[in-house]
Amino acid sequence: MGGRKAGIRAGAAISCVLLLGGCGGAGNNGSARHEPVTVAKAPAQLPVPRGKGSKSADDFNGDGLRDLVLNDLVKSPDDAHGDDAGIGIVYGTGTGAGTTHGLAPGARQLLNPARQAARTKGRSPAVFDAEASCDLDRDGFTDLVVSTDPPYDGQGRPPVPLQILFGSPAGLTGRAVELVIPAAARVGNDWPDQPVCGDFDGDGAEDLVVHASDGRLSYLRGPFTRKGAPRAAGKPLPSPGTVPTGPALDVNRDGYDDLLVRTAEGPATSALVLGGPAGPTRTGTALPNGIDVALGPFGRGRALDAAVGSMDGTSLRYDLPTAVRDSISTPGSVLDAGDFDGDGVSELVSSGAELRILRGRTTGLSATGMVTVPPPARGTTRVLTVADFTGDGRADLVVRTYDGETKDTVAVYAGSKEALVTAKPTVTFSTSEFLGMNS
């Protein structure tokens, strides 16, 4: 099927994070806000906190606190080559005013295709991967778009592989429904995948953009019904590439979310597609060849800025859509962005052999004072996401260190006004804690 995780970051993917992000490390004198929760100290499974609805991103239970989505959970040593375990959710918690808020490994949930996926022709899918998240039905609870593998004989137009799990006061409960893409919004025989959420027409409802075929996009206007159908969908829109990539952001600050589309997976050029009353119909700034792209307010300009990562370093464009103005010779091709110190300017996270954070300044990004973050455990470390999980207005850095298919460590470094991120993780756990869960 060739689907790409578009909204849920799990490796080399575009990162477009507004005022969120960063990391810290060697020489970092920030202090942890609470003692790390290690795997050995991890609490028993806790109930998912019940919420009443919110406008927070990735808030599946609507309690106002961001939650974390995890794909590719580690496997049991006795079943290292078995089926994918499913999708893990770690919920944010807080017990009252003045207390620490953040991710609680005990408040976890396993989404299993046998229990949560919609069946196709009586069969549960073997593939169940998180792709994008947003409040599609406007009820105050974030919904999750997942990718599956419905039966297909290879002849003609393939079925829609995407399903929606709807959020609720108890989190992501019940079975998913299949995403409805009207026939008029499809073209060609490619898999309709790579979903990206965004309010592309500026009406306040979340829309979905999905890859179609032949350099076109299916544009599905929200809100969506509980049966997975969009409010409207017209003919496929022309696109400058084949890989729509999220999350979407209002790059030029005109009130419409914009979309970045890559010409291919891996090293490739890309271009912005600008939103408007008719949706994402106008091709904007073209960006140079690179492995990854991050968008954010790296300086004090009106529009967002772009950083393009490659093995040779990072190319920068300030105040899109101006031409390339600068470059930084720092290794690391996978990028993320966020405001770790809460000053309104984003930092740039660059990862590869090492994990580094470049500080954002009023004049733009600078390698001066660059911070290196030590990995939380032995293995290969990748950035999972950059977002504010504690609600303090500063982004936190979430990384995952892999040691084969059966061992991993997820670590959260809290944002720090003085040091960008704390010297040590404030929370650590392993996705092995999802093994054997029944719900």
Side-chain angles (χ1 to χ4, degrees):
M1 183 164 55
R4 229 182 83 112
K5 297 175 179 60
I8 309 300
R9 189 177 180 94
I14 179 176
S15 170
C16 305
V17 184
L18 176 60
L19 296 179
L20 295 176
C23 45
N28 188 326
N29 58 6
S31 59
R33 299 173 65 192
H34 58 280
E35 184 179 359
V37 179
T38 64
V39 174
K41 298 178 182 178
Q45 186 176 356
L46 301 173
V48 173
R50 294 187 66 86
K52 297 181 180 180
S54 81
K55 295 183 178 180
S56 299
D58 288 349
D59 183 10
F60 303 110
N61 59 333
D63 65 349
L65 297 172
R66 187 183 287 259
D67 310 314
L68 178 66
V69 182
L70 295 158
N71 278 316
D72 304 318
L73 307 178
V74 297
K75 301 176 181 179
S76 167
D78 298 327
D79 190 27
H81 301 291
D83 291 339
D84 192 336
I87 302 166
I89 308 292
V90 177
Y91 287 87
T93 63
T95 56
T99 61
T100 298
H101 293 66
L103 294 173
R108 59 188 183 269
Q109 179 185 27
L110 176 65
L111 305 176
N112 184 291
R115 293 187 299 270
Q116 273 84 29
R119 294 186 175 93
T120 303
K121 297 182 179 180
R123 193 187 83 178
S124 294
V127 173
F128 204 58
D129 287 334
E131 296 279 356
S133 59
C134 56
D135 185 3
L136 291 169
D137 59 351
R138 299 188 74 177
D139 65 349
F141 302 93
T142 301
D143 311 309
L144 187 66
V145 183
V146 299
S147 181
T148 67
D149 60 340
Y152 175 53
D153 62 6
Q155 303 298 313
R157 180 170 289 178
V160 176
L162 302 174
Q163 300 185 6
I164 304 172
L165 275 165
F166 289 100
S168 75
L172 294 165
T173 60
R175 283 198 179 271
V177 301
E178 295 178 354
L179 174 67
V180 177
I181 303 179
R186 297 190 62 179
V187 64
N189 293 330
D190 285 359
W191 283 95
D193 56 9
Q194 301 159 355
V196 178
C197 292
D199 182 9
F200 301 106
D201 58 4
D203 66 352
E206 291 286 339
D207 313 313
L208 278 177
V209 165
V210 177
H211 165 69
S213 300
D214 303 325
R216 297 187 185 182
L217 303 173
S218 294
Y219 172 47
L220 312 177
R221 292 179 183 258
F224 288 70
T225 70
R226 281 290 183 135
K227 293 185 179 180
R231 176 177 61 85
K235 294 181 179 179
L237 302 176
S239 170
T242 60
V243 187
T245 312
L249 291 173
D250 183 4
V251 173
N252 54 2
R253 308 291 174 87
D254 64 352
Y256 304 96
D257 279 344
D258 308 311
L259 175 73
L260 190 132
V261 179
R262 298 176 65 80
T263 54
E265 297 187 26
T269 58
S270 56
L272 290 169
V273 178
L274 304 178
T281 60
R282 299 171 294 147
T283 298
T285 306
L287 296 174
N289 190 74
I291 298 174
D292 203 4
V293 179
L295 303 178
F298 299 127
R300 289 292 191 187
R302 177 180 176 274
L304 296 192
D305 311 310
V308 180
S310 68
M311 299 306 295
D312 297 328
T314 300
S315 299
L316 304 174
R317 288 176 183 242
Y318 291 118
D319 290 346
L320 294 172
T322 59
V324 174
R325 283 180 48 188
D326 202 356
S327 63
I328 296 178
S329 298
T330 178
S333 54
V334 181
L335 306 179
D336 215 318
D339 183 7
F340 293 108
D341 54 6
D343 66 352
V345 178
S346 283
E347 279 70 49
L348 180 70
V349 183
S350 176
S351 61
E354 290 187 299
L355 187 59
R356 297 176 172 88
I357 303 174
L358 284 71
R359 188 181 293 272
R361 305 181 187 276
T362 56
T363 56
L365 289 171
S366 173
T368 303
M370 181 169 54
V371 175
T372 300
V373 182
R378 184 179 66 181
T380 301
T381 299
R382 294 289 182 265
V383 176
L384 281 180
T385 190
V386 174
D388 182 7
F389 289 96
T390 59
D392 63 357
R394 294 190 290 267
D396 309 306
L397 174 69
V398 184
V399 303
R400 185 175 179 185
T401 298
Y402 301 82
D403 187 6
E405 292 188 344
T406 60
K407 295 181 181 180
D408 74 343
T409 300
V410 178
V412 182
Y413 295 83
S416 169
K417 183 176 181 180
E418 296 79 18
L420 296 185
V421 295
T422 52
K424 295 181 180 180
T426 54
V427 176
T428 62
F429 63 94
S430 171
T431 65
S432 62
E433 294 173 23
F434 291 94
L435 295 175
M437 290 182 63
N438 294 319
S439 61

